[in-house]
Amino acid sequence: MDWLLDPLSYEFMRQALMAGVLMGILCPIVGTYLLVQRMALLGDVVAHAVLPGLAIANFLNIPLIIGAFVFGMFGTFVTGWIRSQSKVKVDAAMAITLSSFFSLGIVLFTSLGSRFDLEELLFGDILSIAPADVWEIGFVTLAVLVGVKVFYKELLFFTFDPLGAEAIGLPVTVMNFGLTAAITLTIVANIKAVGFILVVALMVSPAAAAYLLTKELHWMMVLGAGLGVFSCLTGMYISYYVNTPSGPAIALTLFACFLLTLLFSPSQGILTRRRGQSKG
């Protein structure tokens, strides 16, 4: 058991592992809605859109979460505006918004003389996470879990049939805003830990693996959260013993879990399907 307990003797590892558990729960739950709505790229858009907000908030000396949240929401609005005002498809609108906001962020970071390390924002540094950051992730996780629990039935209807939800009088605009806010807060809360590139992997990969195992939304969330926690903890231990960056180690563990599910899922696995066909 020494290999399991040794990392816990360090305060920074305990903080990182606590953050990993919270991230592993939060990100796949939010990512489930993105995946089911076929809007996984939206997470990437929001992740890149927060960069100008971080630069401006740092320059104005205001809380970073405010600037990041405002620009994350604004990036989503721009994507929807392009889609509604033209014949451009949603994937093209997302690509335009992503590249534009990312470029703007780089320009602002350079011109405003930001004190942030751009590489750290891209890939994160979970080992340097502070107790205040863990509390922030915990608060966002609790808020999202409560929101999902309270409005689960409405969100379920809206996710699979938005037109039907609007027809029966559900506040579709408000619900869409709430989901977008949850996505943005999730990304903002986890940027320091895994960066705004790898946080998208943490949102989508466990949810995608869970999607191959079950079709029920609540089980997708449960399985996705389980895979997320497992991948975060496993990636942290791999990074500790192999001396590799923690964020990429977590992302590669996520991919390994997805790949195993893709190959061996009882109902949709590539190898299990072939075995069933050969028997038939």
Side-chain angles (χ1 to χ4, degrees), residues 8-264:
L8 299 180
S9 61
Y10 298 97
E11 175 67 19
F12 70 90
M13 279 297 294
R14 292 197 296 271
Q15 296 291 338
L17 290 170
M18 288 173 60
V21 170
L22 293 170
M23 290 189 305
I25 295 171
L26 171 63
C27 292
I29 288 177
V30 174
T32 297
Y33 287 105
L34 285 175
L35 189 73
V36 172
Q37 292 185 358
R38 299 181 181 180
M39 298 286 283
L41 188 58
L42 182 62
D44 233 347
V45 172
V46 176
H48 287 75
V50 304
L51 188 59
L54 290 173
I56 294 174
N58 177 64
F59 179 74
L60 298 177
N61 199 27
I62 61 176
L64 299 179
I65 192 171
I66 295 177
F69 181 78
V70 169
F71 269 80
M73 297 295 289
F74 183 53
T76 306
F77 167 78
V78 170
T79 301
W81 181 76
I82 293 174
R83 183 184 178 187
S84 64
Q85 299 297 318
S86 67
K87 295 181 179 179
V88 175
K89 300 297 183 181
V90 64
D91 56 342
M94 288 181 179
I96 293 170
T97 306
L98 185 154
S99 58
S100 301
F101 274 73
F102 182 69
S103 300
L104 176 61
I106 298 296
V107 170
L108 290 176
F109 263 87
T110 303
S111 59
L112 298 179
S114 174
R115 58 182 172 84
F116 288 107
D117 182 357
L118 188 57
E119 183 177 347
E120 185 175 316
L121 287 174
L122 289 171
F123 302 107
D125 185 10
I126 195 171
L127 297 181
S128 67
I129 202 165
D133 300 314
V134 177
W135 279 105
E136 182 178 292
I137 299 173
F139 176 78
V140 174
T141 302
L142 179 62
V144 170
L145 289 178
V146 170
V148 169
K149 175 65 176 177
V150 173
F151 300 106
Y152 178 77
K153 292 182 179 179
E154 291 82 0
L155 289 171
L156 179 66
F157 195 3
F158 169 73
T159 298
F160 288 99
D161 188 5
L163 293 178
E166 186 175 11
I168 67 170
L170 289 178
V172 172
T173 303
V174 175
M175 295 171 70
N176 190 54
F177 178 86
L179 281 176
T180 304
I183 295 166
T184 306
L185 285 173
T186 298
I187 291 172
V188 171
N190 292 287
I191 279 180
K192 185 171 183 180
V194 291
F196 60 77
I197 289 181
L198 298 181
V199 71
V200 179
L202 193 53
M203 293 172 68
V204 176
S205 295
Y211 182 74
L212 295 176
L213 296 171
T214 181
K215 295 299 182 182
E216 296 186 37
L217 189 65
H218 65 284
W219 280 117
M220 282 181 63
M221 293 179 183
V222 172
L223 291 173
L227 289 171
V229 171
F230 171 79
S231 298
C232 286
L233 297 182
T234 302
M236 287 295 303
Y237 273 88
I238 290 173
S239 70
Y240 178 83
Y241 284 108
V242 185
N243 194 26
T244 59
S246 301
I250 292 172
L252 289 174
T253 307
L254 288 167
F255 176 72
C257 290
F258 172 76
L259 183 61
L260 289 173
T261 307
L262 179 64
L263 293 174
F264 300 107

